[in-house]
Amino acid sequence: MEIDLAVGPPVAIGQARRCIPILGGVVSGRLTGEVMPGGADWQQIGSDGTIEIDARYVLKLAEGLVEVESRGLRAGPPEVLARLAAGEAVDPALYYFRTAMRFHSAAPELAWLGRILGMASGERLAGAVRLTVHEVA
């Protein structure tokens, strides 16, 4: 599935920590629905610019609600990371953006999500993040 997240401007919490508000979004593919506003990505920024991702948000699907826990990394050459920070469009092949995802739902039709691990490759866009999620076999 693909998850397209609309994100707000970063909220700096010191020099090496920030919070990225998740404003909403769209889910497409095997599952369809929307990303509910109110989630956030809490990020730790390393001295080399590598970002440790720790995001939580809720998907509203036809079958029910799903909590998403997503932990991962975004890293790359300093000049590429600077372009991303400036909001430029950057070919995702030039940087590493991966997250491991866990899912939680009380909906019986979505119980299978609680028994899988998703792996997402990400792309940072201006005001958005696109995640392409695959089930880890």
Side-chain angles (χ1 to χ4, degrees):
M1 75 177 149
E2 282 200 348
I3 303 174
D4 289 297
L5 300 165
V7 297
V11 176
I13 305 165
Q15 290 187 353
R17 189 124 175 98
R18 66 184 179 189
C19 176
I20 310 293
I22 296 173
L23 307 176
V26 177
V27 181
S28 59
R30 180 176 179 185
L31 299 171
T32 60
E34 63 184 273
V35 179
M36 297 183 69
D41 179 5
W42 293 89
Q43 299 180 343
Q44 183 73 36
I45 305 165
S47 59
D48 65 353
T50 296
I51 296 172
E52 293 184 33
I53 296 163
D54 184 5
R56 282 187 179 232
Y57 49 94
V58 176
L59 308 179
K60 184 178 181 182
L61 309 176
E63 301 86 353
L65 299 177
V66 178
E67 177 190 359
V68 178
E69 287 181 78
S70 182
R71 296 188 60 111
L73 293 171
R74 190 175 82 201
E79 62 277 4
V80 171
L81 298 178
R83 290 176 55 206
L84 286 171
E88 290 183 34
V90 178
D91 180 347
L94 298 176
Y95 57 97
Y96 185 87
F97 185 172
R98 303 288 184 275
T99 67
M101 303 173 89
R102 292 295 319 268
F103 308 96
H104 309 279
S105 180
E109 304 93 319
L110 297 171
W112 63 273
L113 285 171
R115 297 186 298 271
I116 69 165
L117 181 64
M119 183 58 71
S121 57
E123 180 179 357
R124 182 64 161 103
L125 308 163
V129 171
R130 174 170 290 143
L131 298 169
T132 302
V133 184
H134 299 277
E135 180 180 345
V136 177

